[in-house]
Amino acid sequence: ALFLAKEAVLATFSVAKQTSVVVDSGYNCTTVAGVHDGYVLTKSVARSPVGGQLLNRCLQAAMEARGNQLRPRQTFTRVEKKGFPGEFDVLPGDTAGLSPSFLAQQVELIVGDVKELVSRVSDVHFVEADNMTVPAITYELPDGNEIQVGMDRFKVPELLFQPQLVRSFPGMSDYPLPDGLKGLAGLVVDSVNRCDTDVRKDLYQHVVLVGGTSLLTQMRERLELDISAAAPGGTKVKVTAPVNPTERRHAVWIGGSILASLGSFQQMWMSKQEYEEHGPGLIHRKAP
């Protein structure tokens, strides 16, 4: 048997709701979609190319521009110095069997770890000139070298709210962005405005934030603040997100497991017999 379900619907089910605006910020992109009574409002779907991958790329560019060398663990060996306990020499390792794509992936893993540990979303609209003296946080690289991450720990997450900042990073001045691309709050407001007026109030009160990139510190609070400022006056805005990081990262899969556990699910799927009788087009009627 087969059943197809849209990601936004499953994310909504994962937080025990049937109506919501789902903001799913993942690795490749961020998607915003309205869900009403368990069905995606197709005209409300909006996408942004800003996701975890682009944030990693910008942070890596900023770190390397400051002279930091990011060396994957597979490219060196740490040997303790004789007579100096706790001090190590870093010796080049054998990289003959390692492909450039593998090494690039390992560097991105280091950058992603830096992003997850030291980055946080600014409490208010980020202005670079006002954050030049932000205290830096120390991060120890795999080779033992320590780096200082200052303003970039706020600037990189701000890309989700101000995508145009991408072009201010070293080597990213020509990065292609869709014309008129808005930040998360703008995407949510546009998504809600495409829906019927009688459901907009419910949608604003049930914004659901999920996805791996949504785990950045202070992101839920900042998103709620920005949506409240961009929404029509007097609109009550509530952004919810699973507290457990695993539940937030895998909200779609959890929603799928909830759906599949329903007693009525067996009447929803397309069986092999139905497929043979009606053809593949039946799935679009059983799973709209």
Side-chain angles (χ1 to χ4, degrees), residues 105-178:
Q105 181 202 33
Q106 294 303 306
V107 169
E108 186 178 7
L109 289 177
I110 296 173
V111 176
D113 191 58
V114 176
K115 179 190 69 179
E116 293 172 7
L117 289 178
V118 308
S119 294
R120 60 169 289 152
V121 177
S122 176
D123 294 338
V124 295
H125 185 81
F126 177 87
V127 179
E128 186 167 348
D130 297 337
N131 289 270
M132 300 299 291
T133 58
V134 169
I137 290 182
T138 301
Y139 179 90
E140 183 177 346
L141 295 171
D143 59 8
N145 290 324
E146 293 184 346
I147 61 173
Q148 301 293 319
V149 185
M151 179 184 64
D152 292 326
R153 64 191 180 96
F154 290 97
K155 184 178 179 181
V156 169
E158 189 68 17
L159 299 179
L160 294 163
F161 299 90
Q162 300 183 59
Q164 291 71 23
L165 284 177
V166 169
R167 293 174 177 154
S168 66
F169 284 87
M172 304 287 286
S173 59
D174 296 327
Y175 187 84
L177 288 174

Side-chain angles (χ1 to χ4, degrees), residues 28-246:
N28 289 309
C29 66
T30 297
T31 304
V32 178
V35 178
H36 184 63
D37 289 339
Y39 292 93
V40 170
L41 304 174
T42 306
K43 60 185 177 183
S44 72
V45 178
R47 291 183 176 85
S48 167
V50 181
Q53 184 180 37
L54 182 57
L55 267 59
N56 290 344
R57 182 173 172 183
C58 289
L59 181 56
Q60 180 177 345
M63 292 167 64
E64 292 178 343
R66 287 175 169 77
N68 298 311
Q69 186 178 8
L70 306 177
R71 294 191 285 186
R73 291 177 174 84
Q74 296 82 358
T75 62
F76 63 85
T77 303
R78 296 182 68 189
V79 180
E80 189 171 20
K81 295 181 179 179
K82 293 182 179 180
F84 297 92
E87 296 186 18
F88 297 85
D89 285 324
V90 179
L91 306 178
D94 182 12
T95 60
L98 304 179
S99 66
S101 60
F102 173 79
L103 295 176
Q105 181 202 33
Q106 294 303 306
V107 169
E108 186 178 7
L109 289 177
I110 296 173
V111 176
D113 191 58
V114 176
K115 179 190 69 179
E116 293 172 7
L117 289 178
V118 308
S119 294
R120 60 169 289 152
V121 177
S122 176
D123 294 338
V124 295
H125 185 81
F126 177 87
V127 179
E128 186 167 348
D130 297 337
N131 289 270
M132 300 299 291
T133 58
V134 169
I137 290 182
T138 301
Y139 179 90
E140 183 177 346
L141 295 171
D143 59 8
N145 290 324
E146 293 184 346
I147 61 173
Q148 301 293 319
V149 185
M151 179 184 64
D152 292 326
R153 64 191 180 96
F154 290 97
K155 184 178 179 181
V156 169
E158 189 68 17
L159 299 179
L160 294 163
F161 299 90
Q162 300 183 59
Q164 291 71 23
L165 284 177
V166 169
R167 293 174 177 154
S168 66
F169 284 87
M172 304 287 286
S173 59
D174 296 327
Y175 187 84
L177 288 174
D179 293 335
L181 179 63
K182 297 182 178 180
L184 289 185
L187 291 176
V188 171
V189 172
D190 285 352
S191 177
V192 174
N193 287 340
R194 296 192 194 112
C195 302
D196 295 337
T197 54
D198 57 340
V199 302
R200 292 178 186 175
K201 180 180 178 182
D202 286 341
L203 294 176
Y204 273 123
Q205 292 180 4
H206 297 90
V207 180
V208 177
L209 179 63
V210 296
T213 302
S214 74
L215 291 169
L216 290 168
T217 303
Q218 202 67 17
M219 184 165 172
R220 187 200 67 78
E221 292 80 1
R222 171 66 185 282
L223 180 60
E224 185 172 285
L225 179 68
D226 282 14
I227 296 175
S228 298
T235 302
K236 182 180 179 181
V237 176
K238 180 65 176 177
V239 178
T240 59
V243 176
N244 187 300
T246 302

Side-chain angles (χ1 to χ4, degrees), residues 215-287:
L215 291 169
L216 290 168
T217 303
Q218 202 67 17
M219 184 165 172
R220 187 200 67 78
E221 292 80 1
R222 171 66 185 282
L223 180 60
E224 185 172 285
L225 179 68
D226 282 14
I227 296 175
S228 298
T235 302
K236 182 180 179 181
V237 176
K238 180 65 176 177
V239 178
T240 59
V243 176
N244 187 300
T246 302
E247 292 179 1
R248 193 185 301 190
R249 187 185 299 272
H250 303 297
V252 173
W253 290 102
I254 293 172
S257 69
I258 293 173
L259 178 62
S261 66
L262 297 177
S264 59
F265 184 64
Q266 294 185 13
Q267 283 73 49
M268 298 170 63
W269 65 38
M270 180 179 69
S271 66
K272 179 181 179 183
Q273 181 180 353
E274 289 175 322
Y275 173 82
E276 293 174 344
E277 182 178 349
H278 301 284
L282 177 65
I283 191 62
H284 298 294
R285 298 199 298 272
K286 301 207 72 171

